[in-house]
Amino acid sequence: GSPVEPKIDTSKFELLPTGKCHVSFSESRDWQDCTFRHKLKHVLGINLDKPGPLMDFGTAVHAACESYLKTRVMDHTIATAMIRKVWEENKEIPGFEPKTLDAFIDQATGILMELPGWFDEQFTGWEYVDAEHFLYEEIPDRKHAFKGYIDCIIKCKNKKGKDVYWVIDWKTSSWGWKMQKKCDPNVRSQIVLYKTFWCKKMGIDIKDVKCGFVILKRTAKATQRCELLEVSAGDVTIGRSLVVIKNMVNSVKRGIALKNRSSCLYCPYKGTEHCT
């Protein structure tokens, strides 16, 4: 399930038209895709998102990864039990047909059994720092906060033997990401923002922190199911990512909501009474 949020003192923040004092990365992606969709979903509260197998598969794999970080023991049954439960609860919904269950169970098991060896090799002598780390940090020059959960924070030595932290986000995927997605600054800005606000919160120099995505591939060949996509996050990249968040706050406060017709294809509001 969702992590329990600590109590936050929001008295120094101002409410946005969404009814919240904060923005999250997923909300900013909705805004970047289409400001009108953002208004429907986040300001007017019309949420048409439906459960989907890939989302629930990802949640289950995340839970097993979190347990592994904390215990250093990989228990893949954490994920497979969650998958079985969700498939049973949603078996009437397209995508969760009983005949699809075995493949998802096999894919989760394959990824999770491969992860510990790969992780040890990738991050030699790693030490656990935190998992599902909660962020609620002030956006510079704005009376609003950035909210997020960091999947994984570890500490290890770099090639020169110096201590570095890694801020990591798990991403489940079919067979991996295309180069276009790997290079997309809008995709990369998630981990850039997580690193930025974590360093600010902890008082750690950004030079001592690396960040990236660990892509966990459902349909890749054995031994190729885990991939690290390191994302460089220096001052320029961080500055660009913060500008997007600040622009979003300004736009939402001013009530700007324009339809982006090039983003209609997979939009849940397309052809409904909410958006014609």
Side-chain angles (χ1 to χ4, degrees):
S2 300
V4 179
E5 289 185 9
K7 283 301 275 176
I8 298 291
D9 176 15
T10 56
S11 56
K12 66 176 178 178
F13 299 120
E14 286 176 6
L15 276 181
L16 287 158
T18 56
K20 299 177 295 197
C21 303
H22 62 263
V23 299
S24 65
F25 177 74
S26 61
E27 187 189 334
S28 85
R29 279 310 302 262
D30 284 337
W31 176 80
Q32 287 177 72
D33 285 343
C34 176
T35 53
F36 188 71
R37 183 193 309 165
H38 175 273
K39 181 183 178 181
L40 289 173
K41 183 173 172 181
H42 298 278
V43 179
L44 300 178
I46 304 163
N47 191 349
L48 300 185
D49 290 346
K50 295 185 179 70
L54 299 181
M55 188 106 170
D56 285 309
F57 176 88
T59 303
V61 168
H62 271 66
C65 290
E66 183 186 343
S67 164
Y68 162 68
L69 288 173
K70 291 175 174 172
T71 62
R72 280 187 127 83
V73 176
M74 177 53 82
D75 180 1
H76 64 89
T77 64
I78 292 171
T80 53
M82 282 173 74
I83 291 169
R84 285 182 202 284
K85 182 169 179 280
V86 172
W87 256 249
E88 179 57 35
E89 287 166 359
N90 293 308
K91 59 175 182 258
E92 308 302 325
I93 297 172
F96 292 96
E97 295 85 359
K99 66 172 190 282
T100 64
L101 176 64
D102 287 348
F104 279 106
I105 294 277
D106 289 348
Q107 289 165 4
T109 307
I111 288 168
L112 294 168
M113 297 318 284
E114 200 166 292
L115 181 70
W118 175 86
F119 204 77
D120 285 346
E121 204 174 299
Q122 197 73 50
F123 305 104
T124 313
W126 65 275
E127 293 169 36
Y128 170 75
V129 177
D130 207 357
E132 287 295 326
H133 180 93
F134 183 64
L135 290 174
Y136 204 94
E137 297 303 304
E138 191 168 349
I139 299 164
D141 316 318
R142 297 292 181 275
K143 290 201 164 80
H144 306 287
F146 177 83
K147 176 184 163 185
Y149 283 92
I150 303 174
D151 289 341
C152 165
I153 305 168
I154 55 168
K155 190 174 164 185
C156 61
K157 304 273 187 215
N158 66 9
K159 291 189 174 75
K160 294 176 181 164
K162 182 173 176 284
D163 279 342
V164 289
Y165 292 95
W166 273 92
V167 169
I168 291 167
D169 194 77
W170 311 112
K171 293 290 185 203
T172 47
S173 164
S174 173
W175 52 272
W177 287 2
K178 292 183 174 162
M179 193 49 76
Q180 184 187 357
K181 184 170 183 179
K182 287 182 176 181
C183 298
D184 184 342
N186 293 340
V187 172
R188 295 166 79 101
S189 71
Q190 177 183 9
I191 204 71
V192 172
L193 289 165
Y194 285 0
K195 167 178 162 169
T196 306
F197 285 108
W198 185 72
C199 288
K200 186 178 156 197
K201 176 182 177 179
M202 307 304 286
I204 293 173
D205 190 327
I206 61 163
K207 294 186 189 68
D208 296 330
V209 182
K210 290 174 172 281
C211 64
F213 300 105
V214 169
I215 305 167
L216 304 170
K217 308 172 195 179
R218 290 185 299 108
T219 58
K221 293 205 273 283
T223 74
Q224 293 173 17
R225 294 187 179 111
C226 308
E227 180 188 355
L228 174 66
L229 174 62
E230 186 175 346
V231 174
S232 66
D235 291 332
V236 175
T237 322
I238 287 171
R240 274 203 301 261
S241 296
L242 286 172
V243 164
V244 173
I245 293 292
K246 290 178 184 181
N247 288 348
M248 174 197 173
V249 167
N250 296 349
S251 150
V252 172
K253 281 171 86 164
R254 294 211 302 269
I256 296 167
L258 307 171
K259 291 182 186 178
N260 173 14
R261 293 290 182 194
S262 64
S263 182
C264 291
L265 189 56
Y266 300 111
C267 182
Y269 303 98
K270 182 187 176 187
T272 67
E273 63 194 304
H274 311 295
C275 186
T276 48

